[in-house]
Amino acid sequence: MIDDSQRDGVPPGGEQGETAATPRRDAGAAGHSAARRTVLMVGAAGVAAAVTIRPAFAQTAASVFNCEIPVPDPANSGRYIALNGTLVPAGTRGAFPGAARAFKGEEVRQALQGRSLPGTSYEQGQAYLNYIRRLRAGQSGFTCYASIQMPR
Amino acid sequence: MPPTTWVAAAPDRLASQQLDVLSAVFDRASGQTHLLAEPLPQILAVLNNAPGTSLDVANRLSISFDIEESDSLAQRISECLDELAALGLVVKA
Amino acid sequence: MTHSASFRVGPVGFRIVSDWREPVRQLQQLYGAYPAPIAGVATATARIEAARPWRRWLRPAVHIRGDYIIPDALPLPLSQGLLSAEMAMNLQVALGWRQHMLLHASAVEQGGRAIIMVGASGSGKSTLAAMLGEGDWRLLGDEFAMLGLDDGLLAPFPRLVSLKNESIAEMAARVSVDRLGPLIIGTPKGSIRHLVPRADAIARMDEPARPVLLLFPGFGEQAGLRAVAPSEAFMRLTDSSTNYVALGEPAFVALTRLVRDVPAVAIGYASGAQGVAAVEALWAEVGG
Amino acid sequence: MKAMAHLVAALRDPASVAGLSGPQWSALMSVARGEVLLGTLAHRVADQPLPGSVAAELRAALASANQAQIHALWEAEMCHRALSPLGITPVLLKGTAYAAAGLPNAAGRQIGDLDILVPRDRLDEAEAALISAGWEWVKDDPYDQAYYREHMHELPPLIHKTRDRMIDVHHTILPLTAKPRPDVAAMLADAVALLGDAYPPSRLREGSGVGLNGERTRLVFGSFPPLTPPAGGRGTLQILCPTDMVCHAAAHLFADGDMAGGLRNLWDIHSLLSEFSGGKDDDGFWQDLQSRAQQHQLWPAVHRAIRLSHSLFATNIPSAMAGRVRHDKYYRIRMLARDDWGRESHRLIRLIFYIRSHLIRMPLPMLLRHLWTKWRR
């Protein structure tokens, strides 16, 4: 059931451990035997070809369901949240006042997966979620948000 | 303005493992791990010890490989070099 | 008053400090079979405490703290003191442990060979490990798999298993009641009940095992198997590790070796029994 | 003896850990974590006979601290790459500077954000270059932005959007609202270039050493940029000259902030004084330090740092600078305010230092106005 053919792209054992800077298969001989040259996939324009591993926050029970995210953070209480998640002056048309209570990490996690945030209309919830997505280290709620980022 | 000449990280700065279609690369200078798809590892390889412009890179790659689509190749290579520069793996000379 | 308990789970010597007596009493009871830290040295200190002295008695709220603290963490009610202590202990390991690469995963062993089960909470990895651990398997841990940086072996970390909701009744039917902690209801994750691992898991917690299978369980997903490519396994494992980046190149070496040498499979299953059967079938295929 | 006292003793004299019991080690490691000094402790006692589980834990802590320094130095390198096309040569401050120069307190030291100093008239250019290189504002609301720009010694903090690390871009070393006005032009003029191309960063220390005292010539410390090719005419990174480095560390400890983490800062000061001076009889260094501190209006802070460093870590200082001054003991209590379980103690003294931290950053009426504005919104 788990044979090599199911693990797509697995190179034969002998090649493992070679430097990635070595083109796959017989690149060293490529210049000499044109018939067996390797095809290089350069990818389409605008498509990223690299992913960098970022530090994962504690995805433990402790952090995931036991933290909260105020919307907006206390330093900005009173300001409204626009649909795109930015903070705007109170009363701005089309924007929403801050949430009456902070959201629990678990509520936000479920909302990110498609459920609605408790006590919000659809657009209001989207505005809040966009605000939460824009949180940065140092802002109240960031650690919590970072900790609920789940593996894809 | 003359075209940019690029210098790649010295190979001994990188620990690399080809996993499947992606290569895992650990950069000892930055402490970062990158997963690189083609043609990024190949670009680093042809720049190794030989700085060059994006056109040089395209030419060198064409010597070793069949390239699937070549009319916008230099453009695409230049894009890839910018991506490598953002990771700190290549730098302008 | 300060109440404290101290014991060892695998390589970690814990010191737990509490403003209240009851959670410590419960810990001492549930961890009764665990040894003391080697030479009395605790490498991690977890604390559960009141934010203000009077909050020990007046509307007591339990804050989860220790050598490492997560800002923004909400306190829990005193009725959830045991859970708070467990969470404080997990937190210290997640943020402070550097002797192994940590994977947020469960693991079981048979004949010196181990399965690592990786998944977000809700994937069923914990329940699956608990059920296997009552059968022919030795439970290595249900929360963290500790991967040795030099030898690539898994160090057991058999802390209390944290059973949630439906799995509580499922497991309570199989084990004697003295291995179960109090039922804690109304937590942010529903009901929780702690399970003491079987005696062999505790007695053999210094015996490491070689990982031979990587499993990505998906409870409630369509039944079936899917091979996972090494690069995808690599991404998912780094994503579930709280110290991969902090450990640098040794973790890179250990992890690339793991995903290259060990087959990785995602399994979907609808019930605990189905999951156990799928794992046993897979195990037969990898030559278990 | 209390765990905090054991920590101070272990830093001062590593052999003092001989004979600590298991529970004493548990408490010592816990308070060291609380003070963010575990890696430093690990480095200090590395050659001592240790219980097995202590040795394993400290070895891992030291390896992790070394890895964290690589990350920190990489931020400096990426900042350098962003600013060097403009000919801006930022001065590294605090932890990153110690690590880049290979100073003795760098070993095992935790490094937080990247702190750099640039001339105020190049601030706007530096800011624009960093933003186009991927850094973003942490706080983008107008009040915070205006507040930082008018009253603070640094730009509002920036964070890199893919590396998730913060940078503080300073144009002077204390808030503009604080009483001392350091001579930042002199600091920039006398900054020291970091040059070279060796790698890894742990082997950086070629030019540094006891011989540094008194010399005002530009010293070339060990090498920093691990990748950037040496290019003619382009700027590099700099660090403060030795006396300014001490002045900044003391200003950071006593003239800015509530002294949380103060023990680590005092250990920095002890290490710098020991490294840069040739001992208590090195009149040249101590006189230079005093006159430089006076030039920066920071002598009271520097003098207090010297006294406390001597009192806790037995720094070899001239006897004329020793002795106790009123209030020193409260600073000492504040710096050691942690119990054997790792909990912060001495609540009242901590509160007083917290209030003090606001008062020394700005005059009282201005503080009230600031708090009022923050509270109202």
Side-chain angles (χ1 to χ4, degrees):
Chain A
M1 182 141 277
I2 323 167
D3 57 2
D4 270 357
S5 65
Q6 283 205 324
R7 305 177 65 195
D8 36 27
V10 179
E15 281 192 20
Q16 295 174 349
E18 275 179 32
T19 159
T22 310
R24 288 190 303 136
R25 290 179 264 285
D26 48 5
H32 305 292
S33 58
R36 300 274 298 155
R37 281 174 19 134
T38 308
V39 175
L40 183 69
M41 317 289 273
V42 295
V47 176
V51 188
T52 299
I53 307 300
R54 295 169 100 145
F57 276 79
Q59 286 168 359
T60 57
S63 57
V64 175
F65 68 85
N66 197 42
C67 59
E68 59 178 4
I69 305 178
V71 179
D73 66 304
N76 285 299
S77 62
R79 305 186 73 196
Y80 276 31
I81 293 102
L83 197 54
N84 69 2
T86 54
L87 293 170
V88 292
T92 301
R93 187 193 291 260
F96 301 92
R101 66 164 178 89
F103 295 106
K104 299 234 165 60
E106 184 62 15
E107 294 167 346
V108 173
R109 191 179 69 81
Q110 291 177 357
L112 291 170
Q113 291 168 358
R115 259 192 242 181
S116 62
L117 272 175
T120 64
S121 67
Y122 176 76
E123 286 211 326
Q124 189 182 13
Q126 291 307 306
Y128 290 176
L129 283 182
N130 286 332
Y131 167 83
I132 291 167
R133 288 190 183 100
R134 297 168 67 102
L135 284 172
R136 288 289 175 197
Q139 276 179 289
S140 188
F142 172 76
T143 326
C144 183
Y145 171 58
S147 73
I148 58 183
Q149 304 289 313
M150 284 295 157
R152 277 154 276 279
Chain B
M1 211 166 90
T4 306
T5 300
W6 296 95
V7 181
D12 65 356
R13 212 184 88 182
L14 306 177
S16 303
Q17 288 287 343
Q18 186 140 9
L19 295 179
D20 36 58
V21 293
L22 298 181
S23 294
V25 175
F26 181 80
D27 181 352
R28 296 183 178 109
S30 69
Q32 290 187 309
T33 303
H34 312 288
L35 290 179
L36 305 183
E38 286 186 10
L40 300 190
Q42 291 75 17
I43 292 176
L44 289 175
V46 300
L47 278 176
N48 180 20
N49 293 324
T53 63
S54 56
L55 204 60
D56 295 334
V57 171
N59 289 335
R60 291 174 200 170
L61 289 175
S62 306
I63 293 170
S64 306
F65 299 94
D66 281 333
I67 311 241
E68 11 130 40
E69 176 208 1
S70 54
D71 44 330
S72 62
L73 182 64
Q75 174 66 35
R76 173 64 183 156
I77 296 300
S78 159
E79 207 175 89
C80 290
L81 284 163
D82 286 340
E83 202 175 354
L84 288 169
L87 304 180
L89 293 174
V90 299
V91 69
K92 290 175 185 172
Chain C
M1 261 316 280
T2 295
H3 307 271
S4 69
S6 192
F7 45 82
R8 180 166 70 87
V9 181
V12 186
F14 283 107
R15 221 171 45 139
I16 295 98
V17 192
S18 166
D19 279 345
W20 302 273
R21 177 192 300 278
E22 183 59 13
V24 168
R25 195 194 59 76
Q26 291 171 331
L27 279 177
Q28 279 165 337
Q29 190 181 348
L30 291 167
Y31 281 98
Y34 288 69
I38 296 170
V41 177
T43 43
T45 297
R47 304 194 307 259
I48 50 173
E49 59 196 25
R52 298 274 177 274
W54 59 88
R55 292 294 294 271
R56 290 178 195 195
W57 304 282
L58 191 70
R59 290 188 294 120
V62 184
H63 286 264
I64 293 163
R65 299 208 173 127
D67 295 338
Y68 298 91
I69 292 170
I70 283 206
D72 305 328
L74 281 183
L76 293 178
L78 187 52
S79 59
Q80 297 172 19
L82 173 65
L83 174 65
S84 312
E86 279 284 312
M87 286 166 52
M89 289 160 58
N90 281 343
L91 185 66
Q92 303 316 311
V93 174
L95 299 183
W97 192 251
R98 296 287 185 272
Q99 295 189 39
H100 299 83
M101 177 167 166
L102 287 177
L103 298 170
H104 189 215
S106 64
V108 292
E109 174 261 5
Q110 205 175 90
R113 293 145 50 89
I115 305 180
I116 303 177
M117 294 177 274
V118 189
S121 96
S123 64
K125 66 175 164 46
S126 201
T127 310
L128 210 47
M131 294 180 75
L132 291 165
E134 297 303 318
D136 297 336
W137 300 82
R138 167 165 71 113
L139 179 76
L140 297 179
D142 89 314
E143 177 79 14
F144 295 115
M146 296 184 159
L147 185 67
L149 295 173
D150 296 327
D151 57 16
L153 299 181
L154 283 187
F157 183 65
R159 66 187 268 281
L160 300 184
V161 177
S162 165
L163 302 170
K164 293 179 199 88
N165 301 320
E166 295 79 25
S167 64
I168 297 175
E170 206 166 350
M171 292 306 295
R174 299 166 180 235
V175 303
S176 71
V177 70
D178 57 354
R179 284 178 54 203
L180 291 168
L183 180 67
I184 307 170
I185 56 170
T187 81
K189 280 231 162 148
S191 299
I192 285 184
R193 195 163 187 187
H194 292 100
L195 166 71
V196 181
R198 215 164 54 184
D200 61 325
I202 300 170
R204 295 171 62 199
M205 71 184 186
D206 294 325
E207 263 179 56
R210 176 161 300 284
V212 297
L213 180 61
L214 264 173
L215 219 52
F216 296 94
F219 178 73
E221 288 172 17
Q222 198 180 359
L225 305 181
R226 176 177 70 85
V228 173
S231 58
E232 184 189 341
F234 186 87
M235 271 309 283
R236 290 174 75 160
L237 291 174
T238 54
D239 234 10
S240 74
S241 173
T242 51
N243 65 4
Y244 172 79
V245 172
L247 292 173
E249 190 168 1
F252 173 83
V253 172
L255 196 59
T256 48
R257 193 169 51 197
L258 180 71
V259 300
R260 250 179 29 214
D261 295 353
V262 172
V265 184
I267 61 168
Y269 62 100
S271 71
Q274 202 183 79
V276 169
V279 172
E280 301 276 11
L282 263 177
W283 186 247
E285 289 204 31
V286 297
Chain D
M1 199 153 72
K2 295 278 199 195
M4 284 298 275
H6 284 137
L7 176 59
V8 169
L11 295 176
R12 189 180 59 220
D13 171 21
S16 70
V17 299
L20 287 185
S21 70
Q24 284 174 324
W25 268 114
S26 309
L28 172 53
M29 288 196 287
S30 186
V31 299
R33 282 199 165 97
E35 296 295 326
V36 204
L37 278 166
L38 188 69
T40 304
L41 173 70
H43 169 73
R44 290 293 286 168
V45 303
D47 296 332
Q48 303 296 318
L50 301 172
S53 44
V54 172
E57 183 68 5
L58 292 185
R59 221 175 11 246
L62 188 54
S64 173
N66 288 339
Q67 185 60 43
Q69 290 203 354
I70 289 174
H71 292 137
L73 289 174
W74 183 250
E75 282 308 295
E77 169 68 13
M78 291 311 268
C79 165
H80 166 54
R81 289 184 196 183
L83 299 184
S84 66
L86 303 173
I88 297 177
T89 56
V91 179
L92 300 176
L93 301 174
K94 303 186 205 171
T96 314
Y98 307 145
L103 289 166
N105 52 324
R109 191 187 189 279
Q110 163 112 0
I111 302 174
D113 304 339
L114 172 62
D115 293 283
I116 62 168
L117 178 68
V118 301
R120 197 170 188 182
D121 59 7
R122 311 287 318 259
L123 208 54
D124 293 345
E125 287 171 82
E127 179 182 355
L130 290 172
I131 285 173
S132 71
W135 274 272
E136 299 175 337
W137 298 122
V138 174
K139 303 172 174 180
D140 50 10
D141 95 85
Y143 177 78
D144 280 328
Q145 288 278 337
Y147 176 77
Y148 266 91
R149 282 160 209 281
E150 280 163 38
H151 302 305
M152 293 301 283
H153 51 309
E154 60 196 16
L155 289 174
L158 291 158
I159 188 165
H160 195 273
K161 63 183 169 197
T162 59
R163 294 192 304 276
D164 299 318
R165 294 194 59 118
M166 308 251 276
I167 182 171
D168 287 327
V169 183
H170 303 245
H171 55 83
T172 179
I173 62 163
L174 281 180
L176 302 176
T177 48
K179 215 191 249 165
R181 304 305 293 258
D183 183 353
V184 71
M187 285 191 170
L188 285 165
D190 292 342
V192 174
L194 290 161
L195 291 172
D197 55 4
Y199 180 80
S202 54
R203 290 196 224 113
L204 291 181
R205 292 197 54 212
E206 282 148 33
S208 69
V210 181
L212 298 185
N213 52 298
E215 297 170 81
R216 276 292 166 73
T217 51
R218 288 184 170 257
L219 297 160
V220 177
F221 278 69
S223 59
F224 173 55
L227 175 66
T228 309
R234 283 214 313 217
T236 179
L237 288 162
Q238 306 186 87
I239 56 175
L240 294 173
C241 73
T243 47
D244 283 348
M245 206 182 266
V246 174
C247 290
H248 181 224
H252 182 54
L253 176 55
F254 294 118
D256 186 18
D258 68 353
M259 311 235 332
L263 194 63
R264 183 182 72 167
N265 295 327
L266 194 69
W267 176 252
D268 282 336
I269 288 165
H270 163 77
S271 305
L272 296 176
L273 291 174
S274 307
E275 173 79 3
F276 295 145
S277 84
K280 65 183 166 63
D281 299 323
D282 182 359
D283 295 338
F285 173 79
W286 297 105
Q287 279 164 16
D288 273 0
L289 178 59
Q290 180 166 355
S291 62
R292 191 68 166 181
Q294 282 160 343
Q295 182 182 350
H296 294 313
Q297 303 178 6
L298 286 169
W299 177 240
V302 171
H303 194 192
R304 174 160 273 141
I306 293 171
R307 288 192 310 267
L308 284 169
S309 170
H310 172 69
S311 137
L312 260 69
F313 297 121
T315 318
N316 195 0
I317 64 166
S319 48
M321 288 186 181
R324 270 196 191 186
V325 174
R326 207 162 63 99
H327 300 328
D328 274 4
K329 80 169 168 199
Y330 299 107
Y331 286 85
R332 207 186 142 106
I333 293 171
R334 173 65 187 89
M335 237 172 297
L336 301 177
R338 198 176 285 279
D339 73 12
D340 285 10
W341 301 109
R343 299 179 292 206
E344 290 190 287
S345 55
H346 296 89
R347 198 180 284 270
L348 180 64
I349 286 196
R350 279 190 289 122
L351 178 67
I352 290 167
F353 274 96
Y354 178 75
I355 294 168
R356 171 186 176 275
S357 75
H358 280 89
L359 290 175
I360 56 179
R361 286 186 140 220
M362 59 182 89
L364 188 59
M366 193 172 157
L367 171 63
L368 294 175
R369 219 164 36 239
H370 173 60
L371 293 177
W372 170 247
T373 315
K374 294 288 273 189
W375 177 81
R376 231 173 13 151
R377 289 175 320 126

